[in-house]
Amino acid sequence: MTVTLAPILETERLILRAPAPEDFEAWAEFAADEVTMRHLGGPQARSVAWRGICTVTGAWSIRGFSMFSVIEKASGRWIGRLGPWQPEDWPGREVGWGLARETWGKGYATEGAAACMDYVFDVLGWPDVIHTIEPANTASQAVAKRLGSTLWGPSAMPAPYQDTFVESWGQTREQWLARRQGNRTAIP
């Protein structure tokens, strides 16, 4: 088995690193929050949150990439998870995000996702990226738009999410690189 060590990515206000044992309490609170989890599969029991953090952590070994824990630099707090994601039968190579409700509206999702977009295109060599978003999740649609992604259409989700209707927003590597070169300041 190949074990891949996760890189540490830094932005102006965030540290993106592999999940660690000390993240679990905040992760479990995040996963239990009904409002936060409204578009992320619904609230989860602590035992399900534990399996979730282990899945994200284990994907670094199995896939060579996975979501990062998001740490707010100013406070040192765990505030969410975001990054590359592609479980078996997923509709594409995704950069996704989920942040604790008290951090919404600060631009953290866009800031962290932009760093992850650089990572997946520059380091992993992905040809394209999607963001799977429920149609009612206008906040995540706004993040996708700020990243330069456009609506690609409906996507079929694998079990056990097969009854969840999502749309894929996405862009190609070439679109990202052209936008990054031409207007990098537009990405917070």
Side-chain angles (χ1 to χ4, degrees):
M1 174 185 346
T2 301
V3 176
T4 301
L5 296 177
I8 297 173
L9 308 180
E10 288 197 41
T11 69
E12 182 181 339
R13 302 177 296 161
L14 306 172
I15 297 170
L16 309 177
R17 59 153 173 78
E22 61 269 18
D23 300 341
F24 179 65
E25 289 305 322
W27 186 298
E29 288 176 28
F30 163 87
D33 187 312
E34 192 171 323
V35 174
T36 298
M37 296 299 290
R38 177 179 44 220
H39 300 295
L40 298 173
Q44 298 174 351
R46 187 175 172 83
S47 61
V48 176
W50 182 85
R51 287 190 289 279
I53 195 172
C54 289
T55 297
V56 168
T57 304
W60 280 105
S61 293
I62 301 300
R63 290 274 194 211
F65 61 85
S66 187
M67 289 197 171
F68 296 92
S69 277
V70 182
I71 309 302
E72 184 181 51
K73 281 183 178 180
S75 67
R77 293 183 309 138
W78 183 96
I79 60 167
R81 83 291 184 279
L82 60 74
W85 189 238
Q86 191 183 17
E88 189 66 20
D89 296 327
W90 210 248
R93 295 170 208 83
E94 179 166 19
V95 168
W97 49 84
L99 297 176
R101 183 174 15 151
E102 64 272 10
T103 67
W104 293 357
K106 295 182 178 184
Y108 287 162
T110 305
E111 183 177 326
C116 288
M117 299 279 281
D118 283 341
Y119 175 72
V120 302
F121 290 133
D122 295 346
V123 177
L124 299 180
W126 287 6
D128 56 39
V129 70
I130 65 166
H131 322 289
T132 55
I133 303 172
E134 290 183 0
N137 189 348
T138 56
S140 279
Q141 290 170 13
V143 171
K145 289 175 187 176
R146 282 192 295 278
L147 292 168
S149 293
T150 58
L151 179 60
W152 284 5
S155 287
M157 297 296 281
Y161 309 106
Q162 69 274 10
D163 295 330
T164 303
F165 181 75
V166 299
E167 296 170 323
S168 286
W169 291 71
Q171 63 185 289
T172 66
R173 180 179 189 274
E174 290 75 24
Q175 290 169 319
W176 177 258
L177 294 177
R179 184 166 188 269
R180 184 171 72 183
Q181 287 175 338
N183 193 9
R184 183 62 173 149
T185 59
I187 302 170

